Amino acid sequence: GEGQFVDISMTDCAFSLNGMAGAGYLAAGVEPEMEALALNGGSFYDYYRTRDGRWFSVGSLEPQFMQQFCAAIGRPELASRGLSPKPEEQRALKREIEMEFEKRDFAEWQAVFAALDACVEPLLPLSEALEHPQLQARGLVARVPLADGGSQAQMACPIKFSAGLPAPRHIGAALGADTVAVLEGLGYSAERIAELKAAGAIA
């Protein structure tokens, strides 16, 4: 029956994304050096360029995913090398995967991995991501009504509530749109506001 003050910090939220690396350091003192751990470039878990210069992310760490992935790229024998802790072996494995990805175009690989659950996904520019069926189904772009009767697309709230959220109704204003109202609220006269405009002090 009591309310609470909610304190949300961008720094706090961004820092909390280090959950796995943080646990390794806090519990075992493992400093997450750059490109030294399985999830930060120290393994084959990485990005791979296709023949036409586009990219795929590969995160097939678990054996069942690695087996599907290696079979899909035509190199099933590589599956047993995925969990090697030796950096030189991981670099060699990564190079083998790089060579396979460079043999086909983005669209070809997309067709291959669309049918598999192998933790492999295409890297999409924002323009393509906005058209992705999953993001559209989840309603991650909202249309905000404008005063002229039109609407403006903007990123929607990613948090889903069982009873829904109010429809978005606010959009950013043009620079200076509220200047006069703010100054009038502070007690500035129309003459003084005109002087400030003439001097270029306000928009």
Side-chain angles (χ1 to χ4, degrees), residues 14 34 83 94 135 151:
M34 291 180 64
L83 297 178
K94 188 180 293 190
L135 300 189
S151 65

Side-chain angles (χ1 to χ4, degrees), residues 170-193:
H170 300 292
I171 196 71
L175 180 64
D178 299 310
T179 300
V180 171
V182 170
L183 292 177
E184 287 177 343
L186 292 172
Y188 282 74
S189 67
E191 294 77 17
R192 180 59 180 144
I193 294 173

Side-chain angles (χ1 to χ4, degrees), residues 52-77:
D52 52 350
R54 296 194 61 181
W55 297 83
F56 274 79
S57 65
V58 175
S60 313
L61 289 178
E62 293 82 355
Q64 69 272 25
F65 298 137
M66 187 59 170
Q67 290 168 5
Q68 288 189 69
F69 168 66
C70 292
I73 65 172
R75 299 291 304 279
E77 75 280 6

Side-chain angles (χ1 to χ4, degrees), residues 17-102:
L17 296 175
N18 291 293
M20 292 185 69
Y25 179 78
L26 294 170
V30 178
E31 184 74 62
E33 303 287 347
M34 291 180 64
E35 297 189 26
L37 303 178
L39 301 182
N40 75 352
S43 72
F44 72 92
Y45 186 111
D46 213 327
Y47 301 96
Y48 295 90
R49 187 171 55 194
T50 62
R51 182 169 57 191
D52 52 350
R54 296 194 61 181
W55 297 83
F56 274 79
S57 65
V58 175
S60 313
L61 289 178
E62 293 82 355
Q64 69 272 25
F65 298 137
M66 187 59 170
Q67 290 168 5
Q68 288 189 69
F69 168 66
C70 292
I73 65 172
R75 299 291 304 279
E77 75 280 6
L78 297 178
S80 63
R81 295 165 55 184
L83 297 178
S84 171
K86 297 179 180 178
E88 64 276 10
E89 292 182 5
Q90 285 295 300
R91 285 193 294 271
L93 174 59
K94 188 180 293 190
R95 183 60 194 140
E96 296 282 350
I97 296 171
E98 286 173 347
M99 290 189 292
E100 295 304 323
F101 265 96
E102 289 170 356

Side-chain angles (χ1 to χ4, degrees), residues 96-180:
E96 296 282 350
I97 296 171
E98 286 173 347
M99 290 189 292
E100 295 304 323
F101 265 96
E102 289 170 356
K103 293 178 180 178
R104 300 192 196 184
D105 290 342
F106 180 84
E108 295 176 77
W109 283 123
Q110 197 167 30
V112 168
F113 291 111
L116 298 176
D117 182 14
C119 289
V120 179
E121 293 294 336
L123 270 69
L124 303 177
L126 186 58
S127 57
E128 289 185 28
L130 290 170
E131 299 299 323
H132 193 282
Q134 175 70 11
L135 300 189
Q136 290 191 348
R138 295 289 290 169
L140 290 177
V141 175
R143 302 295 310 190
V144 184
L146 299 174
D148 63 6
S151 65
Q152 170 64 53
Q154 71 177 24
M155 304 294 280
C157 178
I159 303 170
K160 307 301 180 189
F161 294 85
S162 60
L165 284 168
R169 56 191 185 278
H170 300 292
I171 196 71
L175 180 64
D178 299 310
T179 300
V180 171

